[in-house]
Structure formats: structure tokens, C-alpha cells
Coordinates of all heavy atoms in Angstrom, one line a residue:
M1 N 20.6 -3.0 5.3 CA 19.2 -2.8 5.0 C 18.3 -3.2 6.2 O 18.6 -4.2 6.9 CB 18.8 -3.6 3.8 CG 17.3 -3.4 3.4 SD 17.1 -4.3 1.8 CE 15.5 -3.6 1.5
I2 N 17.4 -2.3 6.5 CA 16.5 -2.6 7.7 C 15.3 -3.5 7.3 O 14.7 -3.3 6.2 CB 16.0 -1.3 8.3 CG1 17.1 -0.4 8.8 CG2 14.9 -1.5 9.4 CD1 16.7 1.0 9.2
A3 N 15.0 -4.5 8.1 CA 13.8 -5.3 7.9 C 12.8 -4.9 8.8 O 13.0 -4.7 10.0 CB 14.2 -6.8 8.2
Y4 N 11.6 -4.6 8.3 CA 10.5 -4.1 9.1 C 9.5 -5.3 9.4 O 9.1 -6.0 8.4 CB 9.7 -3.0 8.4 CG 10.6 -1.8 8.2 CD1 11.2 -1.5 7.0 CD2 10.8 -0.9 9.2 CE1 12.0 -0.4 6.8 CE2 11.6 0.2 9.1 CZ 12.2 0.5 7.8 OH 13.0 1.6 7.7
K5 N 9.1 -5.4 10.6 CA 8.1 -6.5 11.0 C 7.0 -5.8 11.7 O 7.1 -5.6 12.9 CB 8.8 -7.5 11.9 CG 9.9 -8.3 11.2 CD 10.5 -9.2 12.2 CE 10.7 -10.6 11.6 NZ 11.3 -11.5 12.6
P6 N 5.9 -5.6 11.0 CA 4.7 -5.0 11.7 C 4.2 -5.9 12.8 O 4.3 -7.1 12.7 CB 3.7 -4.8 10.6 CG 4.5 -4.9 9.3 CD 5.6 -5.8 9.6
R7 N 3.6 -5.3 13.8 CA 3.0 -6.1 14.9 C 1.5 -6.2 14.7 O 0.9 -5.4 14.1 CB 3.3 -5.5 16.3 CG 4.9 -5.5 16.5 CD 5.2 -5.0 17.9 NE 4.5 -5.9 18.9 CZ 4.1 -5.5 20.1 NH1 4.4 -4.3 20.5 NH2 3.5 -6.3 20.9
N8 N 0.9 -7.2 15.4 CA -0.5 -7.4 15.4 C -1.2 -7.3 14.1 O -0.9 -8.0 13.2 CB -1.1 -6.4 16.5 CG -0.6 -6.7 17.9 OD1 -0.4 -7.8 18.2 ND2 -0.2 -5.6 18.6
D9 N -2.1 -6.3 13.9 CA -2.9 -6.2 12.7 C -2.4 -5.0 11.9 O -3.2 -4.4 11.1 CB -4.4 -6.0 13.0 CG -4.7 -4.7 13.7 OD1 -3.8 -4.1 14.4 OD2 -5.9 -4.3 13.7
F10 N -1.1 -4.6 12.0 CA -0.6 -3.5 11.2 C -0.1 -4.0 9.9 O 0.4 -5.2 9.7 CB 0.5 -2.8 12.0 CG 0.0 -1.9 13.0 CD1 -0.2 -2.3 14.3 CD2 -0.3 -0.6 12.7 CE1 -0.8 -1.4 15.2 CE2 -0.9 0.3 13.6 CZ -1.1 -0.1 14.9
V11 N -0.1 -3.1 8.9 CA 0.3 -3.4 7.5 C 1.3 -2.3 7.1 O 1.1 -1.1 7.4 CB -0.9 -3.3 6.5 CG1 -0.5 -3.5 5.1 CG2 -1.9 -4.4 6.9
L12 N 2.4 -2.7 6.5 CA 3.4 -1.7 6.0 C 3.3 -1.7 4.5 O 3.2 -2.7 3.9 CB 4.8 -2.2 6.4 CG 6.0 -1.3 6.1 CD1 5.9 0.0 7.0 CD2 7.3 -2.0 6.2
F13 N 3.1 -0.5 4.0 CA 3.0 -0.3 2.5 C 3.8 0.8 2.0 O 4.2 1.7 2.7 CB 1.5 -0.2 2.1 CG 0.8 1.1 2.6 CD1 1.0 2.3 1.8 CD2 0.1 1.2 3.8 CE1 0.4 3.5 2.2 CE2 -0.5 2.3 4.2 CZ -0.4 3.5 3.4
R14 N 4.1 0.7 0.7 CA 4.9 1.7 0.0 C 4.0 2.3 -1.1 O 3.3 1.6 -1.8 CB 6.1 1.1 -0.6 CG 7.1 2.1 -1.2 CD 8.4 1.5 -1.6 NE 9.1 0.9 -0.6 CZ 9.9 1.5 0.3 NH1 10.1 2.8 0.2 NH2 10.6 0.8 1.2
V15 N 4.1 3.6 -1.2 CA 3.4 4.3 -2.3 C 4.5 4.5 -3.4 O 5.5 5.0 -3.2 CB 2.9 5.7 -1.8 CG1 2.3 6.5 -3.0 CG2 2.0 5.6 -0.7
V16 N 4.1 3.9 -4.6 CA 5.1 3.9 -5.7 C 4.4 4.5 -6.9 O 3.2 4.5 -7.1 CB 5.6 2.5 -6.0 CG1 6.3 1.9 -4.9 CG2 4.4 1.6 -6.4
P17 N 5.2 5.1 -7.9 CA 4.6 5.6 -9.1 C 3.9 4.5 -9.9 O 4.3 3.4 -9.9 CB 5.8 6.1 -9.9 CG 6.9 6.3 -8.9 CD 6.6 5.3 -7.8
R18 N 2.7 4.8 -10.4 CA 1.9 3.8 -11.2 C 2.7 3.5 -12.5 O 3.3 4.3 -13.1 CB 0.6 4.4 -11.6 CG -0.2 3.5 -12.5 CD -1.7 3.7 -12.4 NE -2.2 3.3 -11.1 CZ -2.9 4.1 -10.3 NH1 -3.2 5.3 -10.7 NH2 -3.3 3.7 -9.2
K19 N 2.7 2.2 -12.8 CA 3.3 1.7 -14.0 C 2.5 2.1 -15.2 O 1.3 2.2 -15.1 CB 3.4 0.2 -14.0 CG 4.4 -0.3 -12.9 CD 4.5 -1.8 -12.8 CE 5.4 -2.2 -11.7 NZ 5.4 -3.6 -11.5
L20 N 3.2 2.4 -16.3 CA 2.5 2.8 -17.5 C 1.8 1.5 -18.1 O 2.3 0.4 -18.0 CB 3.4 3.4 -18.5 CG 4.1 4.7 -18.0 CD1 5.1 5.1 -19.1 CD2 3.1 5.7 -17.8
V21 N 0.7 1.8 -18.8 CA 0.0 0.7 -19.5 C 0.3 0.8 -20.9 O 0.0 1.8 -21.6 CB -1.5 0.8 -19.2 CG1 -2.3 -0.3 -20.0 CG2 -1.9 0.8 -17.8
R22 N 1.0 -0.2 -21.5 CA 1.4 -0.2 -22.9 C 2.1 1.1 -23.3 O 1.9 1.6 -24.3 CB 0.2 -0.4 -23.8 CG -0.4 -1.8 -23.6 CD -1.5 -2.0 -24.7 NE -2.1 -3.3 -24.5 CZ -3.3 -3.5 -23.9 NH1 -4.0 -2.5 -23.6 NH2 -3.8 -4.7 -23.8
G23 N 2.9 1.6 -22.3 CA 3.7 2.8 -22.6 C 3.0 4.1 -22.4 O 3.6 5.2 -22.6
L24 N 1.7 4.1 -22.1 CA 0.9 5.3 -22.0 C 0.2 5.3 -20.6 O -0.3 4.3 -20.2 CB -0.1 5.5 -23.1 CG 0.4 5.5 -24.5 CD1 -0.8 5.4 -25.4 CD2 1.1 6.7 -24.7
A25 N 0.1 6.5 -20.0 CA -0.6 6.6 -18.7 C -2.1 6.7 -19.1 O -2.5 7.5 -20.0 CB -0.2 7.8 -18.0
M26 N -2.9 5.9 -18.5 CA -4.4 6.0 -18.8 C -5.0 7.3 -18.3 O -4.7 7.6 -17.1 CB -5.1 4.8 -18.2 CG -4.6 3.4 -18.7 SD -4.7 3.2 -20.4 CE -6.4 3.0 -20.6
P27 N -5.7 8.0 -19.1 CA -6.2 9.4 -18.6 C -7.0 9.4 -17.3 O -6.8 10.2 -16.5 CB -7.1 9.8 -19.8 CG -6.6 9.0 -21.0 CD -6.1 7.7 -20.4
D28 N -7.9 8.4 -17.2 CA -8.7 8.4 -15.9 C -7.9 8.0 -14.7 O -8.3 8.2 -13.6 CB -9.9 7.5 -16.1 CG -9.5 6.1 -16.4 OD1 -8.5 5.9 -17.0 OD2 -10.3 5.1 -16.1
R29 N -6.7 7.4 -14.9 CA -5.9 6.9 -13.8 C -4.7 7.8 -13.7 O -4.0 7.8 -12.6 CB -5.4 5.5 -14.0 CG -6.6 4.6 -14.2 CD -6.1 3.2 -14.2 NE -5.5 2.9 -13.0 CZ -5.8 1.8 -12.2 NH1 -6.7 1.0 -12.6 NH2 -5.2 1.6 -11.1
A30 N -4.4 8.6 -14.7 CA -3.2 9.4 -14.7 C -3.2 10.5 -13.5 O -2.1 10.8 -13.0 CB -3.0 10.1 -16.0
S31 N -4.4 11.0 -13.2 CA -4.4 12.0 -12.1 C -4.0 11.4 -10.8 O -3.5 12.1 -9.9 CB -5.8 12.6 -12.0 OG -6.8 11.6 -11.7
E32 N -4.3 10.1 -10.6 CA -3.9 9.4 -9.3 C -2.4 9.2 -9.3 O -1.7 9.6 -8.4 CB -4.7 8.1 -9.2 CG -6.2 8.3 -9.1 CD -6.9 7.0 -9.1 OE1 -6.2 5.9 -8.9 OE2 -8.1 7.0 -9.4
G33 N -1.9 8.5 -10.3 CA -0.5 8.3 -10.5 C 0.3 7.5 -9.5 O 1.5 7.4 -9.7
K34 N -0.3 6.9 -8.5 CA 0.4 6.2 -7.5 C -0.3 4.8 -7.2 O -1.5 4.7 -7.3 CB 0.5 6.9 -6.2 CG 1.0 8.3 -6.3 CD 2.5 8.3 -6.4 CE 3.1 9.7 -6.5 NZ 4.5 9.8 -6.8
D35 N 0.5 3.8 -6.9 CA 0.0 2.5 -6.4 C 0.4 2.4 -5.0 O 1.5 2.8 -4.6 CB 0.6 1.4 -7.3 CG -0.2 1.2 -8.6 OD1 -1.4 1.5 -8.6 OD2 0.4 0.7 -9.5
I36 N -0.4 1.7 -4.2 CA 0.0 1.3 -2.9 C 0.3 -0.2 -2.9 O -0.6 -1.0 -3.2 CB -1.1 1.7 -1.9 CG1 -1.4 3.2 -1.9 CG2 -0.8 1.2 -0.5 CD1 -2.6 3.6 -1.1
V37 N 1.5 -0.6 -2.5 CA 1.9 -2.0 -2.5 C 2.3 -2.4 -1.1 O 3.1 -1.7 -0.4 CB 3.1 -2.1 -3.5 CG1 3.6 -3.6 -3.5 CG2 2.8 -1.7 -4.9
I38 N 1.7 -3.5 -0.7 CA 2.0 -4.1 0.6 C 3.5 -4.6 0.7 O 3.9 -5.4 -0.1 CB 1.1 -5.2 1.0 CG1 -0.4 -4.8 0.9 CG2 1.4 -5.9 2.3 CD1 -0.8 -3.8 2.0
E39 N 4.2 -4.1 1.7 CA 5.6 -4.5 1.9 C 5.8 -5.6 3.0 O 6.7 -6.4 2.9 CB 6.4 -3.3 2.3 CG 6.5 -2.2 1.2 CD 7.6 -2.5 0.2 OE1 8.7 -3.0 0.6 OE2 7.4 -2.3 -1.0
A40 N 4.9 -5.5 4.0 CA 5.0 -6.4 5.1 C 3.7 -6.4 5.9 O 3.0 -5.4 5.9 CB 6.1 -6.1 6.1
V41 N 3.3 -7.5 6.5 CA 2.1 -7.6 7.3 C 2.4 -8.2 8.7 O 3.3 -9.0 8.8 CB 1.0 -8.5 6.6 CG1 0.6 -7.9 5.3 CG2 1.5 -9.9 6.3
G42 N 1.6 -7.8 9.6 CA 1.7 -8.3 11.0 C 1.1 -9.7 11.1 O 0.3 -10.1 10.2
P43 N 1.4 -10.4 12.2 CA 0.9 -11.8 12.4 C -0.6 -11.9 12.5 O -1.1 -13.0 12.2 CB 1.6 -12.2 13.7 CG 1.9 -11.0 14.4 CD 2.1 -9.9 13.3
K44 N -1.3 -10.9 12.8 CA -2.8 -11.0 12.9 C -3.5 -10.5 11.7 O -4.8 -10.5 11.6 CB -3.3 -10.2 14.1 CG -2.8 -10.8 15.4 CD -3.4 -10.2 16.6 CE -2.9 -10.8 17.9 NZ -3.5 -10.1 19.1
V45 N -2.8 -10.2 10.6 CA -3.4 -9.7 9.4 C -3.9 -11.0 8.6 O -3.2 -11.9 8.4 CB -2.4 -8.9 8.5 CG1 -3.0 -8.6 7.1 CG2 -2.1 -7.6 9.3
E46 N -5.1 -10.9 8.1 CA -5.7 -12.0 7.3 C -6.2 -11.4 6.0 O -6.7 -10.3 5.9 CB -6.9 -12.6 8.0 CG -6.6 -13.2 9.3 CD -7.8 -13.8 10.1 OE1 -8.9 -13.8 9.5 OE2 -7.6 -14.2 11.2
G47 N -5.9 -12.1 4.9 CA -6.4 -11.7 3.6 C -5.6 -10.7 2.8 O -5.9 -10.3 1.7
L48 N -4.4 -10.3 3.4 CA -3.5 -9.5 2.7 C -2.1 -10.2 2.7 O -1.8 -10.8 3.6 CB -3.3 -8.1 3.3 CG -4.5 -7.2 3.3 CD1 -4.3 -6.0 4.2 CD2 -4.9 -6.8 1.9
K49 N -1.4 -9.9 1.6 CA 0.0 -10.5 1.5 C 0.9 -9.5 0.9 O 0.5 -8.6 0.2 CB 0.0 -11.8 0.8 CG -0.4 -11.7 -0.7 CD -0.6 -13.1 -1.3 CE -0.9 -13.0 -2.8 NZ -2.1 -12.2 -3.1
V50 N 2.2 -9.8 1.1 CA 3.2 -8.9 0.5 C 3.1 -8.9 -1.0 O 2.9 -9.9 -1.6 CB 4.6 -9.4 0.9 CG1 5.7 -8.7 0.2 CG2 4.8 -9.3 2.4
G51 N 3.1 -7.7 -1.6 CA 3.0 -7.6 -3.0 C 1.6 -7.2 -3.5 O 1.4 -6.8 -4.6
D52 N 0.6 -7.3 -2.6 CA -0.8 -6.9 -3.0 C -0.8 -5.4 -3.3 O -0.2 -4.6 -2.6 CB -1.8 -7.2 -1.9 CG -2.2 -8.6 -1.8 OD1 -2.0 -9.4 -2.8 OD2 -2.8 -9.0 -0.8
R53 N -1.5 -5.0 -4.4 CA -1.8 -3.6 -4.7 C -3.1 -3.3 -4.0 O -4.1 -4.1 -4.2 CB -1.8 -3.4 -6.2 CG -0.5 -3.5 -6.8 CD -0.6 -3.1 -8.3 NE -1.6 -3.8 -9.0 CZ -2.6 -3.3 -9.7 NH1 -2.6 -2.0 -9.9 NH2 -3.5 -4.0 -10.3
V54 N -3.2 -2.2 -3.3 CA -4.4 -1.9 -2.5 C -4.7 -0.5 -2.5 O -4.0 0.4 -3.0 CB -4.2 -2.4 -1.0 CG1 -3.9 -3.9 -0.9 CG2 -3.1 -1.6 -0.3
Q55 N -5.9 -0.1 -2.0 CA -6.3 1.2 -1.7 C -6.6 1.3 -0.2 O -7.1 0.4 0.4 CB -7.6 1.6 -2.4 CG -7.4 1.8 -3.9 CD -6.5 2.9 -4.3 OE1 -6.6 4.0 -3.8 NE2 -5.5 2.7 -5.1
A56 N -6.1 2.4 0.4 CA -6.3 2.5 1.9 C -6.8 3.9 2.2 O -6.7 4.8 1.4 CB -4.9 2.4 2.6
I57 N -7.5 4.0 3.3 CA -8.0 5.3 3.8 C -7.3 5.8 5.0 O -6.6 5.0 5.7 CB -9.6 5.2 4.1 CG1 -9.8 4.1 5.2 CG2 -10.4 4.9 2.8 CD1 -11.2 4.1 5.7
G58 N -7.4 7.0 5.3 CA -6.8 7.6 6.5 C -5.9 8.8 6.1 O -5.7 9.1 4.9
T59 N -5.5 9.5 7.2 CA -4.7 10.7 7.0 C -3.4 10.5 7.7 O -3.4 9.9 8.8 CB -5.4 11.9 7.5 OG1 -5.8 11.8 8.8 CG2 -6.7 12.2 6.7
N60 N -2.4 11.0 7.2 CA -1.1 10.9 7.8 C -1.1 11.6 9.2 O -1.6 12.7 9.4 CB 0.0 11.6 6.9 CG 1.4 11.2 7.3 OD1 1.6 10.3 8.1 ND2 2.4 11.8 6.6
G61 N -0.6 10.8 10.2 CA -0.7 11.3 11.6 C -1.8 10.7 12.4 O -1.6 10.6 13.6
Q62 N -2.9 10.4 11.8 CA -4.0 9.8 12.5 C -4.1 8.3 12.3 O -3.9 7.5 13.2 CB -5.3 10.5 12.2 CG -5.4 11.9 12.6 CD -6.8 12.5 12.2 OE1 -7.4 12.1 11.2 NE2 -7.3 13.4 13.0
D63 N -4.3 8.0 11.0 CA -4.5 6.5 10.7 C -3.2 6.0 10.0 O -3.1 4.8 9.9 CB -5.7 6.4 9.7 CG -7.0 6.9 10.3 OD1 -7.2 6.5 11.5 OD2 -7.7 7.7 9.7
L64 N -2.4 6.9 9.4 CA -1.2 6.4 8.7 C 0.0 7.0 9.5 O 0.0 8.1 9.8 CB -1.2 6.9 7.3 CG -2.3 6.6 6.4 CD1 -2.1 7.2 5.0 CD2 -2.5 5.1 6.3
V65 N 1.0 6.2 9.6 CA 2.3 6.6 10.2 C 3.4 6.5 9.2 O 3.6 5.4 8.7 CB 2.6 5.8 11.5 CG1 3.9 6.2 12.1 CG2 1.5 5.9 12.5
S66 N 4.1 7.6 8.9 CA 5.2 7.5 8.0 C 6.4 6.9 8.7 O 6.6 7.2 9.9 CB 5.5 8.8 7.3 OG 5.9 9.7 8.3
V67 N 7.2 6.1 8.0 CA 8.4 5.5 8.5 C 9.5 6.5 8.3 O 9.8 6.9 7.2 CB 8.7 4.2 7.9 CG1 10.0 3.6 8.4 CG2 7.6 3.2 8.1
P68 N 10.1 7.0 9.4 CA 11.2 8.0 9.3 C 12.4 7.5 8.5 O 12.8 6.3 8.6 CB 11.7 8.2 10.8 CG 10.5 7.7 11.6 CD 9.9 6.6 10.8
G69 N 12.8 8.4 7.6 CA 14.0 8.0 6.7 C 13.6 7.2 5.5 O 14.5 6.8 4.8
E70 N 12.4 6.8 5.3 CA 11.9 6.0 4.2 C 10.9 6.7 3.4 O 9.7 6.9 3.9 CB 11.3 4.7 4.7 CG 12.3 3.7 5.4 CD 13.2 3.0 4.3 OE1 12.9 3.1 3.1 OE2 14.2 2.4 4.7
S71 N 11.2 7.2 2.3 CA 10.3 8.0 1.4 C 9.2 7.1 0.9 O 9.4 6.0 0.4 CB 11.0 8.6 0.3 OG 10.1 9.3 -0.6
G72 N 7.9 7.4 1.2 CA 6.8 6.7 0.6 C 6.4 5.4 1.4 O 5.6 4.7 0.9
L73 N 7.0 5.2 2.6 CA 6.7 4.0 3.3 C 5.8 4.4 4.5 O 6.2 5.3 5.3 CB 8.0 3.4 3.8 CG 8.0 1.9 4.3 CD1 7.4 1.0 3.2 CD2 9.4 1.5 4.7
F74 N 4.7 3.7 4.7 CA 3.7 4.0 5.7 C 3.3 2.7 6.4 O 3.3 1.6 5.9 CB 2.5 4.7 5.1 CG 2.8 6.0 4.4 CD1 3.1 6.0 3.1 CD2 2.7 7.2 5.2 CE1 3.4 7.2 2.5 CE2 3.0 8.4 4.6 CZ 3.4 8.4 3.2
L75 N 2.8 2.9 7.7 CA 2.2 1.9 8.5 C 0.8 2.2 8.8 O 0.5 3.4 9.2 CB 3.0 1.8 9.8 CG 2.8 0.6 10.7 CD1 3.2 -0.7 10.0 CD2 3.5 0.8 12.0
T76 N -0.1 1.3 8.7 CA -1.5 1.5 9.0 C -2.1 0.2 9.5 O -1.5 -0.9 9.4 CB -2.3 2.0 7.8 OG1 -3.6 2.5 8.3 CG2 -2.5 1.0 6.7
R77 N -3.3 0.3 10.1 CA -4.0 -1.0 10.5 C -4.7 -1.6 9.3 O -5.1 -1.0 8.3 CB -5.1 -0.6 11.6 CG -4.5 -0.2 12.9 CD -5.5 -0.3 14.0 NE -4.9 0.0 15.2 CZ -4.3 -0.8 16.0 NH1 -4.1 -2.0 15.7 NH2 -3.8 -0.4 17.2
E78 N -4.8 -2.9 9.4 CA -5.5 -3.7 8.3 C -6.9 -3.1 8.0 O -7.2 -3.1 6.8 CB -5.6 -5.2 8.7 CG -6.2 -6.0 7.7 CD -6.4 -7.5 8.1 OE1 -6.3 -7.7 9.3 OE2 -6.6 -8.3 7.2
A79 N -7.6 -2.7 8.9 CA -9.0 -2.2 8.7 C -9.0 -0.9 7.8 O -10.0 -0.7 7.2 CB -9.6 -1.8 10.0
N80 N -7.9 -0.2 7.7 CA -7.8 0.9 6.8 C -7.6 0.6 5.3 O -7.7 1.4 4.5 CB -6.7 1.9 7.2 CG -7.0 2.6 8.5 OD1 -8.2 2.7 8.9 ND2 -6.0 3.0 9.3
V81 N -7.2 -0.7 5.1 CA -7.1 -1.2 3.7 C -8.5 -1.6 3.2 O -9.0 -2.6 3.8 CB -6.1 -2.3 3.6 CG1 -6.0 -2.9 2.2 CG2 -4.7 -1.9 4.1
V82 N -9.0 -0.9 2.3 CA -10.4 -1.1 2.0 C -10.6 -1.8 0.6 O -11.8 -2.1 0.3 CB -11.2 0.3 2.0 CG1 -11.3 0.8 3.4 CG2 -10.6 1.3 1.0
L83 N -9.6 -1.9 -0.2 CA -9.7 -2.5 -1.5 C -8.4 -3.2 -1.9 O -7.3 -2.6 -1.8 CB -10.1 -1.4 -2.5 CG -10.4 -1.7 -3.9 CD1 -11.7 -2.6 -4.0 CD2 -10.6 -0.5 -4.7
I84 N -8.5 -4.4 -2.5 CA -7.4 -5.1 -3.1 C -7.6 -5.0 -4.6 O -8.7 -5.3 -5.1 CB -7.3 -6.5 -2.6 CG1 -7.1 -6.6 -1.1 CG2 -6.2 -7.2 -3.3 CD1 -7.2 -8.0 -0.6
L85 N -6.6 -4.5 -5.3 CA -6.6 -4.4 -6.7 C -6.1 -5.7 -7.4 O -4.9 -6.0 -7.1 CB -5.9 -3.2 -7.2 CG -6.3 -1.9 -6.6 CD1 -5.3 -0.8 -6.9 CD2 -7.7 -1.5 -7.0
E86 N -6.8 -6.3 -8.2 CA -6.4 -7.5 -8.9 C -6.3 -7.3 -10.4 O -7.1 -6.6 -10.9 CB -7.3 -8.7 -8.6 CG -7.3 -9.1 -7.1 CD -8.2 -10.3 -6.8 OE1 -9.0 -10.6 -7.6 OE2 -8.1 -10.8 -5.7
G87 N -5.3 -7.9 -11.0 CA -5.1 -7.7 -12.4 C -4.5 -6.4 -12.8 O -4.2 -5.6 -11.9
D88 N -4.2 -6.2 -14.1 CA -3.6 -5.0 -14.5 C -4.6 -4.1 -15.1 O -5.6 -4.6 -15.8 CB -2.5 -5.3 -15.6 CG -1.3 -6.0 -15.0 OD1 -1.0 -5.7 -13.8 OD2 -0.8 -6.9 -15.6
P89 N -4.5 -2.8 -15.0 CA -5.4 -1.8 -15.7 C -5.3 -2.0 -17.2 O -4.3 -2.2 -17.7 CB -5.0 -0.5 -15.3 CG -3.6 -0.6 -14.7 CD -3.4 -2.0 -14.3
E90 N -6.5 -1.9 -17.9 CA -6.5 -2.2 -19.3 C -6.7 -0.9 -20.0 O -7.1 0.1 -19.6 CB -7.6 -3.1 -19.7 CG -7.3 -4.4 -19.0 CD -8.1 -5.6 -19.6 OE1 -8.6 -5.5 -20.7 OE2 -8.2 -6.6 -18.9

């Protein structure tokens, strides 16, 4: 297994299927269907930790870099993470 260590202010995150709420997908959230979960952070990242669920902005190739051979794994700068999601959807 490969261990990834982002440098500087980079954040490594994985896009994963959203978990169901009480066995049902919530209609207003079902269209999105994905969560972004922090997998690793660089040494200059402040305010984010492994396991945080977040929302990020950017487009693949400019602000987001996909990790070759890893489905759903991306690298971006901390500044592109614009929202930390706390708690579970109700």
C-alpha cells in the first residue's frame, strides 16, 4: 500500500459515495451523492485534519490533480477547501 504525504499547503482527499441517512437517501442531497473526505494534509495546512468531510472548489487539471491509479483520489491546495461539514445530515 502506498502512503501519500502532501507537501506544503496541499490536501489529499477522496470522493466517496454519500452514506444513507436511516437507510434512505435524502432527496435534496441525493442528486449530489458524494462526500469529500480528507485523507492526508501537508505540514502547512491549518484547520483541516484527516477524516474531515469538506466541500472544495476547482476543476480537474487546474485546481485539482487526480492521483494516477487511485479512483476518486485528488490533491488540491488548502485554499480550495471552502467548507467543513460537521455532524450528520438529518
Side-chain angles (χ1 to χ4, degrees):
M1 181 172 193
I2 297 174
Y4 296 102
K5 293 176 139 183
R7 296 188 57 206
N8 299 319
D9 66 339
F10 281 91
V11 175
L12 185 71
F13 66 86
R14 185 173 302 275
V15 178
V16 296
R18 175 157 292 124
K19 294 178 181 171
L20 298 178
V21 178
R22 293 187 183 104
L24 300 172
M26 301 302 288
D28 58 333
R29 302 186 66 128
S31 61
E32 297 170 17
K34 305 284 183 189
D35 277 331
I36 297 173
V37 179
I38 302 295
E39 294 276 321
V41 296
K44 293 185 179 179
V45 172
E46 298 177 7
L48 293 173
K49 63 186 180 309
V50 172
D52 280 347
R53 290 183 311 124
V54 300
Q55 291 294 311
I57 58 172
T59 58
N60 199 4
Q62 292 180 330
D63 301 311
L64 303 178
V65 177
S66 61
V67 177
E70 292 282 349
S71 179
L73 196 58
F74 297 90
L75 189 67
T76 192
R77 291 199 177 273
E78 179 183 18
N80 290 336
V81 177
V82 294
L83 184 66
I84 299 172
L85 306 170
E86 295 181 348
D88 291 323
E90 299 195 20

